[in-house]
């Protein structure tokens, strides 16, 4: 565990390689040498295009897959050493995930109350009055308990279901919440409400959040720190404002150039060449060979070479 007392989890040199095939196996490096600290009450945006490895990092933290190399330290222990059923249950008591499709999380045959019944049945939650605790958690996420409890999933909107899952995390007093594309399936009018709720819950309860997204605007709006991923590597990381105002890695610069601006119409003649980005990154690494990660300013580091 890192020395900073506010660090609740430390990711150290995390690598995940997937193997496919038996006779002539192929290996895919989904994440390589990922390191960062997760601090209490802070929101980290993990940003990158599809296939960059950000969801793999989330799955590794949630112990849904095992790392090939590296460690995830929680409470002074590498989580890969957590084997016993009771110990695993206690880990999931404090580390939870909310995913992209809220409707896939709920069983359509059961009322939504079941998500609360399950955590009270599975974990030793210290509440004198279970029903009152649930009602208070729902009020915390701006849901009316009388209009929410007893409903089936199809009777609620996607935004309401995501709020229910945040309420579940609050009841469990979660230390680390993995929010993987939390609002990507919600309409625009609902998104801002869920994001504001996440920020408020994070600050009020001291919950740390890993906000996985491909949307730079959302990352800037919500996060204290930003991690930019490209082809399984962290290529730029640090204070969100500094990363956004002084993007240095060629991939990060490309991401910002690709963001449309309000008031400017799309130019149909403008071309985007993915292979040009690959070439720019290659040249950038060759020019800075041997440097590795460099802190270019306080709380802002860039991967200058991948060797």
């Amino acid at each position: 565990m890192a020395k900073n007392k506010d660090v609740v989890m430390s990711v150290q040199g995390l690598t995940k390689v997937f193997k496919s095939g038996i006779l002539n196996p192929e290996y895919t490096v989904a994440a390589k040498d990922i390191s960062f600290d997760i601090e209490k009450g802070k929101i980290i945006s993990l940003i990158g295009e599809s296939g960059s490895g950000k969801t793999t990092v989330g799955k590794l933290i949630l112990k849904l897959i095992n790392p090939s190399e590296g460690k995830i330290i929680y409470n002074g222990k590498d989580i890969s050493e957590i084997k016993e059923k009771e110990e695993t249950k206690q880990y999931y008591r404090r580390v939870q995930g909310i995913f992209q499709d809220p409707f896939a999380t709920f069983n359509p045959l059961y009322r939504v109350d079941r998500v609360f019944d399950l955590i009270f049945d599975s974990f030793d939650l210290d509440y004198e009055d279970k029903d009152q605790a649930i009602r208070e958690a729902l009020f915390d996420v701006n849901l009316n308990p009388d209009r929410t409890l007893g409903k089936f999933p199809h009777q609620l909107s996607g935004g309401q279901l995501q709020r229910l899952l945040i309420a579940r995390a609050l009841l469990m007093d979660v230390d680390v919440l993995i929010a993987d594309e939390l609002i990507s399936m919600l309409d625009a009018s609902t998104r801002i409400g869920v994001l504001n709720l996440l920020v408020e819950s994070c600050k009020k309860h001291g919950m740390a959040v890993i906000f996985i997204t491909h949307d730079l605007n959302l990352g800037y709006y919500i996060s204290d720190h930003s991690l930019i991923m490209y082809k399984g590597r962290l290529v730029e990381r640090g204070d969100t404002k500094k990363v956004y105002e002084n993007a240095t890695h060629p991939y990060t610069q490309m991401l910002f150039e690709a963001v449309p601006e309000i008031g400017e119409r799309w130019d149909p003649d403008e071309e985007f060449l993915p292979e040009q980005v690959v070439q720019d990154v290659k040249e950038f690494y060759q020019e800075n060979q041997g440097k590795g990660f460099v802190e270019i300013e306080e709380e802002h580091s860039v991967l200058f070479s991948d060797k």
Side-chain angles (χ1 to χ4, degrees):
M1 180 71 75
K3 293 182 179 180
N4 185 346
K5 64 181 180 180
D6 291 329
V7 173
V8 294
M9 181 177 285
S10 183
V11 176
Q12 303 174 359
L14 202 61
T15 297
K16 179 61 181 179
V17 180
F18 290 102
K19 176 183 176 182
S20 59
I22 299 176
L23 297 178
N24 295 300
E26 295 184 358
Y27 297 91
T28 302
V29 180
K32 182 179 179 182
D33 198 22
I34 306 294
S35 297
F36 61 93
D37 289 336
I38 303 171
E39 297 178 30
K40 180 180 180 180
K42 299 291 186 180
I43 298 179
I44 297 175
S45 282
L46 194 55
I47 304 169
E49 62 190 357
S50 297
S52 61
K54 56 189 188 296
T55 295
T56 298
V57 173
K59 288 181 177 180
L60 287 165
I61 293 174
L62 289 170
K63 284 181 63 66
L64 299 177
I65 54 177
N66 297 317
S68 302
E69 295 179 18
K71 300 178 180 179
I72 300 172
I73 306 298
Y74 176 71
N75 281 343
K77 184 173 183 176
D78 184 355
I79 68 169
S80 65
E81 298 174 3
I82 297 176
K83 305 291 186 182
E84 299 296 328
K85 182 178 179 180
E86 184 61 29
E87 198 175 11
T88 300
K89 185 172 76 170
Q90 290 306 312
Y91 180 75
Y92 286 126
R93 165 80 165 76
R94 298 295 186 181
V95 181
Q96 282 282 310
I98 301 178
F99 301 98
Q100 180 175 0
D101 184 1
F103 292 96
T105 305
F106 292 83
N107 189 324
L109 301 178
Y110 293 93
R111 301 180 193 276
V112 295
D113 309 42
R114 187 169 184 259
V115 298
F116 300 121
D117 294 335
L118 288 173
I119 63 170
F120 276 93
D121 291 342
S122 301
F123 303 102
D124 184 21
L125 302 186
D126 187 20
Y127 293 102
E128 293 182 3
D129 189 333
K130 168 187 170 183
D131 293 335
Q132 183 60 28
I134 292 173
R135 293 179 68 86
E136 290 177 0
L138 290 176
F139 278 125
D140 273 352
V141 298
N142 299 323
L143 285 177
N144 186 325
D146 297 326
R147 297 180 180 179
T148 306
L149 298 174
K151 296 291 182 68
F152 287 95
H154 71 271
Q155 294 176 299
L156 299 176
S157 69
Q160 288 173 311
L161 294 178
Q162 293 291 47
R163 288 169 185 266
L164 273 169
L165 295 175
I166 294 174
R168 180 186 67 175
L170 297 181
L171 276 171
M172 297 175 68
D173 192 21
V174 165
D175 286 336
V176 179
L177 180 68
I178 309 297
D180 191 353
E181 301 286 3
L182 177 68
I183 62 171
S184 62
M185 289 188 65
L186 306 183
D187 59 72
S189 62
T190 307
R191 289 183 175 190
I192 194 69
V194 173
L195 284 180
N196 286 338
L197 171 64
L198 194 63
V199 173
E200 291 168 8
S201 300
C202 179
K203 304 306 179 185
K204 180 179 178 181
H205 299 276
M207 178 174 64
V209 177
I210 306 296
F211 184 67
I212 299 174
T213 183
H214 59 270
D215 192 318
L216 285 165
N217 291 322
L218 295 181
Y220 185 78
Y221 180 80
I222 196 175
S223 61
D224 300 291
H225 303 281
S226 291
L227 310 176
I228 310 296
M229 289 197 68
Y230 172 67
K231 291 190 174 181
R233 296 296 306 269
L234 276 182
V235 296
E236 197 151 353
R237 65 188 180 196
D239 175 82
T240 293
K241 187 176 178 62
K242 292 180 179 180
V243 171
Y244 277 62
E245 293 182 351
N246 186 24
T248 302
H249 193 277
Y251 177 71
T252 311
Q253 293 175 345
M254 181 279 296
L255 287 180
F256 284 108
E257 290 171 1
V259 175
E261 295 185 14
I262 296 176
E264 290 190 11
R265 290 182 62 83
W266 172 63
D267 183 1
D269 296 323
E270 184 176 355
E271 292 185 335
F272 171 70
L273 302 175
E275 59 270 19
Q276 184 60 51
V277 178
V278 175
Q279 184 61 32
D280 289 346
V281 171
K282 183 178 180 180
E283 292 176 358
F284 181 75
Y285 287 160
Q286 288 176 341
E287 291 171 2
N288 298 283
Q289 194 167 7
K291 286 188 175 181
F293 250 110
V294 176
E295 186 175 54
I296 61 172
E297 57 182 326
E298 187 177 0
E299 292 190 67
H300 182 194
S301 301
V302 179
L303 183 66
F304 278 88
S305 63
D306 63 347
K307 302 296 183 184

